[in-house]
Amino acid sequence: MARFYDVDITNPLMLGTALYPSPAILKDAFKVSGAEIATVSLRREQGAGQDFWSLIKSMNLRLLPNTAGCYSVKEAVTTAYMAREVFDTPWIKLEVIGHTDTLQPEPFALVEAARILSEDGFQVFPYMTDDLVLADRLVEVGCRVLMPWGAPIGSGLGLNNEYALKTLRNYFPDIPLVVDAGIGLPSHAARAMELGFDAILLNTAVAKAQDPVKMAQAFSLAIQAGALGYQAGPMEVRDMASPSTPVIGKAWL
């Protein structure tokens, strides 16, 4: 069970609410996934109107508003304040984009925005690269959850740098870590959980699947399997073969 700030979460799958073919499919996908947390964009809520907002409220989810599409500290902070008022939550998924093509976070602006928001009572979930120094700076300014990417948003590439992700897990054993962005297959999510991550946040892999509802269920099962595998204590990897059948009792000819 993960604990995000003062909230215990039983299901480690977190889903976005964009790109679904229809509101009904969105609702069904969330239902089969068991996800308790939904990311929502202030821009989407404003664009989709009251029907979308009514649907989200009817699903009884914990909301994680985001600052998607922001490219500066001022823009991200202003959007966060607006989101807190609209969605009535101190949670904010903080995104400050620094590169248009890769949507890679701008590390310096991200730390500054996280500092400003944390000092004003926000509970910040920073979308970040898998950089150890950046993670340390974000913790220093008040972040109690870290959300490193697996790969660029919407790419479906999976975990591009397992070494960096393992390093984050080892250096921050008491900080909840969520892989956010780049997950394309249930096996990618299972692998992240096998590395000891606390949760997975994804959107495109489910919403743009041919059958989003089946894909949501597949991710839910994969994440459960990965988490159980990590908790069970996997066997050590060996360079050479090791027999599983004992030699004792073997017939000698």
Side-chain angles (χ1 to χ4, degrees):
M1 178 184 295
R3 186 173 181 83
F4 297 149
Y5 292 94
D6 57 347
V7 177
D8 292 322
I9 301 300
T10 58
N11 191 320
L13 176 58
M14 307 160 67
L15 288 177
T17 55
L19 304 176
Y20 289 85
S22 72
I25 291 176
L26 182 156
K27 188 172 184 177
D28 288 345
F30 268 87
K31 183 177 179 179
V32 301
S33 74
E36 303 168 44
I37 297 175
T39 58
V40 289
S41 169
L42 181 66
R43 287 180 171 86
R44 174 166 175 78
E45 197 281 330
Q46 289 176 325
Q50 191 62 39
D51 289 343
F52 172 76
W53 183 224
S54 297
L55 171 66
I56 297 300
K57 288 195 293 185
S58 73
M59 293 162 62
N60 195 30
L61 300 165
R62 181 170 289 275
L63 300 183
L64 176 59
N66 63 48
T67 62
C70 293
Y71 283 80
S72 69
V73 173
K74 182 178 181 180
E75 189 178 9
V77 169
T78 301
T79 302
Y81 277 106
M82 295 170 65
R84 182 166 67 177
E85 182 175 344
V86 170
F87 298 111
D88 190 28
T89 176
W91 281 14
I92 192 72
K93 179 190 170 188
L94 181 61
E95 299 181 33
V96 187
I97 302 303
H99 192 273
T100 303
D101 292 334
T102 64
L103 300 181
Q104 179 171 325
E106 209 291 351
F108 306 103
L110 182 65
V111 172
E112 178 61 12
R115 181 191 64 78
I116 293 170
L117 294 173
S118 294
E119 289 178 353
D120 197 34
F122 282 87
Q123 296 174 343
V124 179
F125 294 64
Y127 164 61
M128 54 175 285
T129 55
D130 50 23
D131 183 86
L132 178 61
V133 177
L134 173 57
D136 199 40
R137 297 295 179 270
L138 288 166
V139 172
E140 285 179 358
V141 300
C143 296
R144 295 296 173 262
V145 176
L146 297 174
M147 303 182 77
W149 68 358
I153 293 173
S155 67
L157 291 170
L159 308 182
N160 276 357
N161 192 342
E162 283 199 12
Y163 170 79
L165 294 173
K166 289 178 183 178
T167 301
L168 288 175
R169 181 70 287 172
N170 290 334
Y171 271 83
F172 300 99
D174 300 321
I175 297 290
L177 299 179
V178 181
V179 171
D180 174 20
I183 297 295
L185 295 170
S187 57
H188 298 157
R191 181 55 183 154
M193 298 303 291
E194 288 172 348
L195 296 179
F197 278 72
D198 297 283
I200 307 295
L201 195 162
L202 56 91
N203 189 169
T204 308
V206 168
K208 299 299 287 184
Q210 291 184 17
D211 189 330
V213 178
K214 284 186 178 179
M215 189 61 78
Q217 185 177 18
F219 269 105
S220 180
L221 294 171
I223 287 171
Q224 292 177 48
L228 285 172
Y230 175 74
Q231 294 163 13
M235 63 173 284
E236 294 183 4
V237 177
R238 301 185 178 96
D239 292 328
M240 301 295 289
S242 177
S244 57
T245 303
V247 176
I248 298 175
K250 177 182 177 182
W252 295 94
L253 303 177

